[in-house]
Amino acid sequence: MERWIMHVDMDAFFASVEQRDHEAYQKQPVIVGGLSNRGVVSTASYEARSFGIHSAMPMVEARRRCPQGIFVAGNHGLYKAVSKQIFHIFQEFSPLVEPLSLDEAFLDITGMEKITLNQRDYAKLLKKRIKDELGLIASVGIAPNKFLAKLASDLDKPDGLVIIERGLEQSILRDMPIRRLWGVGKKTGEKLQELGFRTIGQIAQASLDELAKYLGKTLSYQLIELANGRDERKVEPERDIQSIGNEITFEQDLLQAAQVEKQFLALAEKVGWRLRLSGVKARTLTIKIRFASFQTITRSQSLIEPTNFDEVIYQMAVNLYRQVKVKESIRLLGITGSNLSLHEEESLFQEDQKKKALYHMMDDLKARFGENIITKANLIQKPHNEKDLPKG
Ligand SMILES: [Mg+2]
């Protein structure tokens, strides 16, 4: 399968959060950073950037360039909390998310276009989710590898969406300045300038042996590979994923138990699928219910054996739901699997081996024909007091 990597980077992250939360800051030059005389700028809003202010600039200089600016010390706790919300959304778009900082990540979206939309619409959907739910703007780059994806997200900032198609790698890179190459900082940049390199295209043509004399073999090899648009590095998710969950907010509140259970099935199928894609099983399952009054409850249960089977997740969710005293209509439902185990333990139950083969086949069909091709959710029309649940 052709590899596709997405790089998402929030625009002027800290400053945008401040502008979002303070009406008086909107459309104003906002500078977040250390306010003391020795402080530096950590983020400048785009309005502030038009005064030539940028990250890492001494605060004194920023004040000189824009005395009328709004200078804020920033609220790191808040940015961290918002970052968590952003990554929550990322994880719904790919089981493989590699964080680079609070506001930046790689998502491996290989094969995703087959189960959902084309890459551009997929990226638009992600940007829309972030905007609608968090009131923030992200720039997205999509390319066959990490280096190009990161480059692409920066090409049309702010609010960018750039796709570098396979085969166009070299023509896009050719005339770009060498500092755009990953790993070229100030020192290496100066060295390359001295050696007469100005563009990435020139490095792409360089002789490895020649360059290695000045920069060493490892770095030289890396730079020439990148300059040719080649980058085999994998997206490496953080090893300690805590949980995998999905939730749905309904356009119209749900009144009937049968509707609720149908939605739990749809959620169970999503969560099960994501657990299987990530190669993990959940030992604890939690349901979340938000009522029309916004009162929110969660109920959890742990399993004897961890699972990533849709119907086990579904049955447990329904059991938990049936124990809840429901007095009003429901506006949101969620299922989360946590207490995840990474490695494949042999199942205690033989039955599970058969199920595993079945799920393998189902996931393969989903990958080829779309996520909704096999769904049990549409089939359930039974009232909730009937005991028999759909069979896998
Ligand atoms: Mg950013």
Side-chain angles (χ1 to χ4, degrees):
M1 211 182 300
E2 283 187 342
R3 209 158 73 103
W4 285 101
I5 310 296
M6 184 191 274
H7 179 256
V8 189
D9 184 15
M10 303 302 292
D11 298 332
F13 181 47
F14 298 167
S16 299
V17 173
E18 295 299 332
Q19 287 182 316
R20 178 193 75 176
D21 293 353
H22 300 88
E23 229 188 308
Y25 295 1
Q26 280 158 23
K27 301 203 166 66
Q28 299 298 317
V30 174
I31 300 99
V32 181
L35 297 184
S36 75
N37 279 339
R38 291 184 303 140
V40 292
V41 175
S42 74
T43 316
S45 71
Y46 280 89
E47 295 81 0
R49 290 180 197 197
S50 66
F51 291 88
I53 298 171
H54 54 79
S55 304
M57 174 181 275
M59 197 53 95
V60 177
E61 175 65 15
R63 285 187 200 276
R64 198 187 60 73
R65 291 191 187 209
C66 184
Q68 73 274 37
I70 298 165
F71 294 84
V72 273
N75 178 346
H76 223 77
L78 171 65
Y79 308 148
K80 257 194 142 147
V82 177
S83 168
K84 227 176 139 181
Q85 295 174 310
I86 294 168
F87 275 83
H88 209 85
I89 295 176
F90 289 168
Q91 268 145 16
E92 286 188 34
F93 281 76
S94 167
L96 293 175
V97 177
E98 178 180 340
L100 293 176
S101 69
L102 279 185
D103 74 312
E104 217 183 306
F106 285 117
L107 282 66
D108 189 330
I109 56 163
T110 303
M112 289 293 163
E113 76 283 2
K114 294 199 178 111
I115 49 172
T116 48
L117 307 150
N118 62 56
Q119 283 126 353
R120 185 169 297 276
D121 288 341
Y122 202 52
K124 278 187 188 161
L125 198 64
L126 173 77
K127 282 163 66 84
K128 188 175 178 328
R129 281 284 303 276
I130 293 174
K131 192 171 178 195
D132 291 352
E133 287 176 32
L134 305 174
L136 295 168
I137 309 289
S139 287
V140 173
I142 295 176
N145 61 51
K146 280 172 134 180
F147 163 54
L148 292 167
K150 190 164 159 63
L151 187 93
S153 75
D154 198 44
L155 288 180
D156 197 24
K157 254 181 171 300
D159 202 10
L161 167 45
V162 174
I163 300 178
I164 297 182
E165 298 288 348
R166 214 169 286 277
L168 296 181
E169 296 93 333
Q170 279 154 330
S171 59
I172 282 181
L173 291 171
R174 194 181 303 132
D175 298 323
M176 282 190 180
I178 48 174
R179 63 176 168 77
R180 289 253 189 203
L181 269 184
W182 203 324
V184 176
K186 198 162 177 282
K187 229 179 98 203
T188 312
E190 281 166 9
K191 188 87 219 163
L192 287 167
Q193 293 264 1
E194 267 172 49
L195 294 169
F197 292 105
R198 296 287 178 274
T199 64
I200 293 180
Q202 289 171 321
I203 295 186
Q205 306 288 324
S207 132
L208 175 60
D209 291 338
E210 269 305 299
L211 203 57
K213 284 183 202 159
Y214 305 96
L215 296 175
K217 200 150 190 181
T218 313
L219 180 59
S220 303
Y221 177 77
Q222 239 172 45
L223 292 179
I224 292 172
E225 283 291 294
L226 292 179
N228 281 287
R230 293 189 291 261
D231 178 10
E232 292 300 313
R233 287 170 304 164
K234 288 194 176 78
V235 172
E236 314 236 23
E238 274 195 328
R239 284 289 151 227
D240 57 339
I241 333 169
Q242 302 292 321
S243 64
I244 286 180
N246 279 80
E247 39 185 66
I248 317 175
T249 304
F250 306 109
E251 273 172 30
Q252 282 190 318
D253 294 353
L254 301 186
L255 281 162
Q256 292 166 349
Q259 295 175 316
V260 173
E261 296 188 6
K262 184 170 161 179
Q263 293 300 335
F264 270 131
L265 181 56
L267 282 166
E269 290 184 341
K270 276 209 153 64
V271 172
W273 177 63
R274 288 179 55 212
L275 288 166
R276 295 193 296 279
L277 269 182
S278 306
V280 294
K281 292 179 175 183
R283 188 177 289 280
T284 305
L285 292 168
T286 304
I287 61 163
K288 177 170 163 184
I289 303 176
R290 179 167 296 147
F291 296 103
S293 63
F294 270 85
Q295 188 210 349
T296 305
I297 59 158
T298 59
R299 294 288 183 272
S300 298
Q301 196 173 336
S302 288
L303 299 148
I304 305 166
E305 188 167 20
T307 194
N308 52 22
F309 292 151
D310 301 351
E311 72 247 44
V312 177
I313 298 168
Y314 169 67
Q315 282 174 15
M316 182 158 273
V318 167
N319 287 342
L320 288 168
Y321 161 66
R322 287 179 185 175
Q323 290 162 34
V324 174
K325 284 207 167 58
V326 179
K327 292 195 221 89
E328 49 177 330
S329 58
I330 291 172
R331 58 175 289 124
L332 175 148
L333 290 174
I335 299 181
T336 299
S338 58
N339 213 342
L340 306 177
S341 56
L342 261 177
H343 41 131
E344 193 63 26
E345 290 159 44
E346 264 318 296
S347 173
L348 297 169
F349 308 112
Q350 239 197 346
E351 179 69 6
D352 283 0
Q353 296 303 329
K354 272 189 249 162
K355 271 193 205 158
K356 220 166 97 180
L358 180 69
Y359 275 104
H360 194 77
M361 185 197 79
M362 267 173 41
D363 290 344
D364 185 52
L365 285 172
K366 282 186 183 182
R368 281 191 286 150
F369 301 113
E371 191 189 343
N372 293 325
I373 183 104
I374 314 167
T375 174
K376 293 175 238 89
N378 301 326
L379 304 176
I380 300 192
Q381 298 295 345
K382 293 179 185 172
H384 85 291
N385 53 6
E386 268 184 37
K387 282 277 151 48
D388 56 346
L389 295 167
K391 298 200 172 60

